[in-house]
Amino acid sequence: MDTLLNQLLDQFEAGLMDRTMKVMRIAADEKYSFPMELNKKQCARMLLGTDDTTTFDSRFNSHQDFPRIDCKRDKFPRDAVIEWYGKNWMRTGI
């Protein structure tokens, strides 16, 4: 039973790593197609591949240490967001 459970956990971990690598490749490519300062919709599109700002808020923007630019509108520094995701992807599950 332990062997089967370990195999399942290994497969799950490999799937998570595969997904992370896909997102990181997209983020690296998007680094050159998005502006240095992102609005919430652009940030959601870069990280999630969709304009879903509700999911962006719950998965990313809800973290106190998520990079933000202090101003009246929601703004996010693109490169810092990419770096934050690389270090914190495991904390972004719902």
Side-chain angles (χ1 to χ4, degrees), residues 14-24 26 47-48 59 85:
L16 283 176
M17 290 303 295
D18 183 52
R19 177 70 177 142
T20 300
M21 293 306 295
K22 285 179 184 176
V23 170
M24 291 305 293
I26 290 168
L47 292 171
L48 300 169
R59 289 189 59 196
Y85 183 83

Side-chain angles (χ1 to χ4, degrees), residues 29-66:
D29 291 341
E30 300 301 340
K31 186 174 183 178
Y32 300 103
S33 61
F34 280 101
M36 296 289 288
E37 293 183 4
L38 305 169
N39 62 32
K40 191 182 285 191
K41 187 182 271 190
Q42 290 168 323
C43 212
R45 193 176 311 130
M46 186 175 74
L47 292 171
L48 300 169
T50 177
D51 293 341
D52 183 1
T53 57
T54 303
T55 300
F56 166 76
D57 283 337
S58 65
R59 289 189 59 196
F60 305 103
N61 203 19
S62 61
H63 293 279
Q64 293 296 320
D65 62 337
F66 191 78

Side-chain angles (χ1 to χ4, degrees), residues 61-94:
N61 203 19
S62 61
H63 293 279
Q64 293 296 320
D65 62 337
F66 191 78
R68 294 172 186 78
I69 298 171
D70 290 330
C71 60
K72 289 183 180 182
R73 294 181 176 215
D74 290 327
K75 289 287 190 179
F76 308 92
R78 180 196 66 204
D79 295 345
V81 167
I82 293 169
E83 183 179 336
W84 183 92
Y85 183 83
K87 293 177 182 176
N88 297 282
W89 63 266
M90 71 295 287
R91 296 173 44 207
T92 63
I94 293 178

Side-chain angles (χ1 to χ4, degrees), residues 1-17:
M1 184 68 173
D2 286 340
T3 303
L4 180 60
L5 182 60
N6 284 334
Q7 288 174 346
L8 288 172
L9 288 172
D10 287 344
Q11 289 176 351
F12 180 72
E13 182 180 2
L16 283 176
M17 290 303 295

